[in-house]
Amino acid sequence: MRGVNRFFSRWQNWVGIFLLLMYAILALTAPVLSPQDPKKPGPFLVKGQGKERLPQPPSMTNLLGTLPGQVDVFHTIVWGSSNALTFSFTVVFFTSLFGVTYGAVAGYMGGWVNNVLMRIADAFLAFPVIAGVVFFQQLLIMTITTQGGYLWNGMLLGLEDSAGEPILLQILFNLINPLMLSLILFSWMPYSRMINAVVITLKNTEFIQAARALGATPSSVIFHHLIPNSISPAIVLAARDIGNVVLFQATLTFIHIGGNSPWGELLFMGRNWVIGPYGNLFKYWWVFVPATLAVLLFGIAWNIIGDGLSDAISPHEI
Amino acid sequence: MPPFLQFLVRRFLVIPLTLLVITMLLYGGVMLTPVEARAQIYMPNTNAKLTEDQIAKLMGNIIERYHLHEPYLVQYSYWVGTFFDGTWGYSPSLNEQVLPALLTRTPATAELTLFSLLFIIIPFGLYAGIIAGWHRGYRDSIFQSVAFFVTSIPPFILALAFLVIFYINLGWFAPERLGIQYSYEVTKDTFASPTGMLLVDSLINGRYDIFIDTLRHLAMPALTLSLYHWATLARITRSAIITQRRKEYIISAQARGIPAGRVLWRHVFRNILVPSLTSVGLSAASLITGVYVVEIIYNLNGVSEIITTAMFSGIPDAPAILGFAVYSVLVVLILMFLLDVIQAVVDPRIHEDMIKP
């Protein structure tokens, strides 16, 4: 309870909460704020005929201006926040769930089992996420080329008219994109290491022994006693991870190695109007500033929340 | 065997074991794809129109010839075999063997990584963390806000901002590896390139103009890559310093009248070096990911060129991607090992701490 009071008494945390509420409202009211084109649903909306090549400045019809090809910036920002929230929550939910369970179970087993399991986690630490992303993307390409489809810049093309039987990987990749899969597979280790260290020390304390003496099953000890008592650092890590996941998604989208962040794609489409030969940041500010702010503030908001939580949970460490 | 050597051997044995686990998992993933997709990689690249029958027959031959119908472990051992004959398989999108393709692109990546790590991340990270944690006060607040801001910016936005400021408006730095007037010169025979890293080579050749130009081109990528890891390392150093400040040996050193600066650099510095360097080792994988991202953004033609070629060609190219993944893991493991060695050198306690975990 003292931690909760401490969390709400810092003004920085209110900035974070305010920013998060803003993103949540944008995401929830997206269909009202900027309805999608029923013919071409998706986070990108082409205004007018799409013939005008120059980016158009903000006006009443397009609130934040348009990119070349008349892609509406406001529409993408709004739908991008919904994408960012769902993507990051999914990734962090599965990562932390798996990481926490893995670390706790390994710690509870103890002995050589714990050693082997944690060595496997260490092996995963050596795997760069980007290698995982391209690897899964490659599996996807290999699977769909035999079905008559092909992948271009991370987009699935030409699969509709294939008649082949869908196979395991194809079903998997329809549910979950390669970036998400790779982020889940290669970022659970910090949770495990964190929980594992605490569980090993907690395991021999009196209240756990009491629970065991009362006949609690191992799973009940792990999920009712060990995890609730060691989860707090993992929550801090999860809060920071949500921001980092979105930053990483936007980065990979920008360099077109997997990922489908609308914000990153927006900056990719507009980059030549900032750094290209005729680009001018001050003249065409709306191709750069809104998307940048969207990504930046998302990261900042979650970092503030992470710092605030970490301060609330263990005030002495700061 | 002395404990120090024993420690090094144990750490070194981690490399092949980790590689074994990871390659088995990777190849298991490839085995999930249909056999025709894996045969596609070996299909000859001809313009001749083949009938369905001919393609099927060709496919059958390829599957037979490259043992694609065999069980997992047999195929895995064939693939591992290519690691020992020095080819790492043939990549259709690069149109060459994978290992030579990786090796010719390594120097650019190594230059960026080592330069950032040794000249920016480690020295400045340690320094900023020590100053912030030791003096606290206004220096600490400034550091905290800078570190906070830096860790919230994704690298590509930083890169765009750098390009706008330093390249377009000020003209100080430039993207790519080398200016156009030198890029031909360094490929000539008169320019000896034993390492392939332009910073080293230009010094060996005594061409200081090329050295300056390389630095000019390396500045933006190195900064983009370093800032995040600089902040992480500095934060960990800072909290290590704060923990150390409460220890009794500091009070006793101060009581003996040793000046504060001497206490900091002689006593505390050695104690915080180990946790700080461990943090660099643990984030080695994300450092390597960052290197590839930065390379692609600034068009540096390093190892990441392999993935961009393989992905944008749209041709299924498992050997290149598998090779790239194994190479990246190997680089991370070597980096972790080197940092372990540095740790063992700077901290003699490592024998007791690390040999018996």
Side-chain angles (χ1 to χ4, degrees):
Chain A
M1 213 53 227
R2 216 185 45 199
V4 176
N5 286 338
R6 215 182 139 77
F7 182 77
F8 285 111
S9 65
R10 285 180 61 184
W11 64 268
Q12 292 99 323
N13 295 340
W14 284 103
V15 176
I17 292 170
F18 171 76
L19 285 172
L20 288 188
L21 276 181
M22 196 185 76
Y23 279 105
I25 290 169
L26 274 188
L28 289 176
T29 57
V32 185
L33 280 178
S34 186
Q36 294 191 349
D37 188 352
K39 285 185 211 127
K40 272 190 199 160
F44 302 106
L45 179 72
V46 176
K47 282 278 173 79
Q49 295 298 311
K51 295 242 170 71
E52 184 63 58
R53 285 186 62 246
L54 285 179
Q56 297 298 308
S59 64
M60 282 315 286
T61 47
N62 32 23
L63 281 175
L64 285 172
T66 61
L67 292 183
Q70 301 311 303
V71 177
D72 189 31
V73 175
F74 179 70
H75 183 83
T76 312
I77 298 287
V78 168
W79 284 94
S81 55
S82 134
N83 173 292
L85 283 172
T86 39
F87 183 86
S88 55
F89 277 127
T90 322
V91 168
V92 171
F93 176 75
F94 284 110
T95 335
S96 51
L97 188 72
F98 182 72
V100 166
T101 318
Y102 187 94
V105 169
Y108 184 78
M109 307 280 263
W112 66 270
V113 180
N114 182 41
N115 265 335
V116 170
L117 287 180
M118 291 325 282
R119 284 298 91 75
I120 292 176
D122 283 354
F124 273 85
L125 267 183
F127 203 94
V129 180
I130 196 168
V133 178
V134 286
F135 176 69
F136 291 123
Q137 205 103 330
Q138 186 60 38
L139 293 191
L140 182 62
I141 295 177
M142 286 173 71
T143 316
I144 61 174
T145 42
T146 52
Q147 309 277 323
Y150 54 95
L151 204 69
W152 185 80
N153 273 358
M155 280 186 292
L156 204 59
L157 295 177
L159 199 60
E160 301 84 46
D161 41 280
S162 73
E165 190 84 354
I167 67 157
L168 178 72
L169 275 177
Q170 207 176 323
I171 298 166
L172 182 68
F173 284 126
N174 278 339
L175 294 173
I176 177 172
N177 71 43
L179 174 63
M180 198 185 264
L181 184 61
S182 150
L183 274 172
I184 291 173
L185 278 181
F186 301 113
S187 49
W188 53 271
M189 299 78 69
Y191 295 93
S192 293
R193 293 167 67 98
M194 209 172 246
I195 293 285
N196 192 263
V198 187
V199 162
I200 284 176
T201 53
L202 273 184
K203 200 173 61 175
N204 296 320
T205 51
E206 272 110 14
F207 80 98
I208 298 295
Q209 304 222 315
R212 277 159 76 176
L214 286 170
T217 56
S219 71
S220 145
V221 172
I222 291 176
F223 289 104
H224 291 141
H225 300 285
L226 286 176
I227 289 184
N229 281 295
S230 54
I231 195 87
S232 41
I235 292 175
V236 176
L237 187 63
R240 290 199 179 121
D241 255 9
I242 291 179
N244 288 340
V245 159
V246 169
L247 300 193
F248 190 67
Q249 183 204 19
T251 307
L252 285 203
T253 311
F254 181 78
I255 57 174
H256 269 204
I257 304 286
N260 53 356
S261 160
W263 295 338
E265 188 65 28
L266 202 62
L267 283 164
F268 175 79
M269 291 192 289
R271 74 198 187 291
N272 279 342
W273 298 93
V274 182
I275 54 168
Y278 300 104
N280 186 340
L281 178 61
F282 303 104
K283 197 170 163 201
Y284 301 111
W285 58 270
W286 64 91
V287 301
F288 179 73
V289 174
T292 306
L293 276 184
V295 179
L296 215 59
L297 289 180
F298 196 90
I300 286 180
W302 283 103
N303 267 341
I304 291 177
I305 298 286
D307 284 355
L309 284 176
S310 135
D311 178 57
I313 286 164
S314 52
H316 300 297
E317 275 181 19
I318 295 282
Chain B
M1 206 165 17
F4 179 71
L5 250 177
Q6 214 172 339
F7 164 75
L8 286 190
V9 169
R10 282 176 75 128
R11 284 283 140 156
F12 192 77
L13 282 182
V14 169
I15 297 181
L17 278 176
T18 312
L19 274 182
L20 187 72
V21 171
I22 284 179
T23 49
M24 288 191 93
L25 286 177
L26 285 177
Y27 206 77
V30 173
M31 288 292 288
L32 287 176
T33 59
V35 72
E36 292 84 14
R38 279 173 282 139
Q40 200 84 46
I41 294 158
Y42 303 103
M43 285 293 247
N45 195 3
T46 58
N47 290 326
K49 285 269 188 291
L50 297 171
T51 59
E52 293 272 319
D53 277 358
Q54 282 170 316
I55 290 177
K57 199 167 163 236
L58 194 60
M59 198 73 101
N61 283 342
I62 286 171
I63 290 172
E64 193 71 30
R65 188 169 153 202
Y66 293 100
H67 316 280
L68 297 180
H69 56 289
E70 308 256 8
Y72 164 64
L73 275 178
V74 179
Q75 289 201 39
Y76 173 72
S77 56
Y78 277 114
W79 178 58
V80 171
T82 64
F83 283 89
F84 293 105
D85 63 18
T87 61
W88 292 32
Y90 171 78
S91 151
S93 71
L94 293 162
N95 204 4
E96 59 181 318
Q97 308 287 0
V98 177
L99 183 63
L102 283 165
L103 287 183
T104 51
R105 289 166 176 83
T106 299
T109 307
E111 191 174 28
L112 175 59
T113 319
L114 292 179
F115 182 80
S116 314
L117 200 58
L118 298 180
F119 294 108
I120 304 181
I121 299 176
I122 291 183
F124 287 98
L126 287 176
Y127 186 74
I130 288 170
I131 295 299
W134 188 255
H135 297 290
R136 305 301 292 265
Y138 76 97
R139 295 189 186 89
D140 195 22
S141 326
I142 293 174
F143 164 73
Q144 292 268 52
S145 16
V146 171
F148 176 81
F149 190 62
V150 159
T151 46
S152 313
I153 308 180
F156 72 104
I157 287 182
L158 210 54
L160 281 177
F162 281 164
L163 283 170
V164 167
I165 299 168
F166 294 120
Y167 175 49
I168 293 173
N169 287 324
L170 293 175
W172 292 354
F173 306 138
E176 306 201 354
R177 260 191 102 186
L178 207 54
I180 203 152
Q181 70 272 37
Y182 295 118
S183 51
Y184 172 65
E185 206 164 326
V186 294
T187 58
K188 282 198 284 198
D189 288 342
T190 48
F191 188 85
S193 50
T195 60
M197 294 188 232
L198 291 173
L199 277 182
V200 184
D201 287 351
S202 56
L203 285 183
I204 290 173
N205 287 288
R207 291 295 302 269
Y208 299 108
D209 50 341
I210 295 185
F211 180 77
I212 299 289
D213 197 57
T214 313
L215 270 186
R216 212 169 79 85
H217 286 80
L218 201 59
M220 282 194 301
L223 265 184
T224 315
L225 174 65
S226 304
L227 277 178
Y228 180 86
H229 295 278
W230 165 82
T232 322
L233 173 61
R235 275 177 171 173
I236 289 177
T237 312
R238 174 181 166 277
S239 59
I241 284 268
I242 291 173
T243 338
Q244 291 290 329
R245 274 187 73 180
R246 301 199 196 102
K247 295 268 170 79
E248 272 114 15
Y249 75 88
I250 295 199
I251 302 172
S252 106
Q254 280 167 343
R256 275 184 284 139
I258 300 173
R262 202 176 147 89
V263 175
L264 173 60
W265 295 106
R266 273 287 172 83
H267 300 243
V268 185
F269 182 65
R270 289 196 139 198
N271 283 313
I272 55 110
L273 218 46
V274 173
S276 307
L277 289 181
T278 311
S279 97
V280 184
L282 285 179
S283 63
S286 84
L287 181 74
I288 291 300
T289 296
V291 171
Y292 295 145
V293 167
V294 166
E295 268 179 17
I296 294 174
I297 294 175
Y298 286 107
N299 199 4
L300 286 182
N301 299 334
V303 175
S304 59
E305 208 180 25
I306 299 214
I307 51 174
T308 46
T309 320
M311 303 243 314
F312 295 149
S313 68
I315 311 168
D317 193 353
I321 298 296
L322 281 174
F324 171 79
V326 173
Y327 172 89
S328 311
V329 173
L330 198 60
V331 169
V332 172
L333 286 172
I334 290 173
L335 217 56
M336 283 171 154
F337 177 70
L338 286 182
L339 286 163
D340 274 344
V341 174
I342 296 176
Q343 271 182 44
V345 171
V346 296
D347 188 357
R349 282 178 318 177
I350 214 94
H351 312 314
E352 294 136 39
D353 281 3
M354 291 235 169
I355 291 170
K356 293 192 195 101

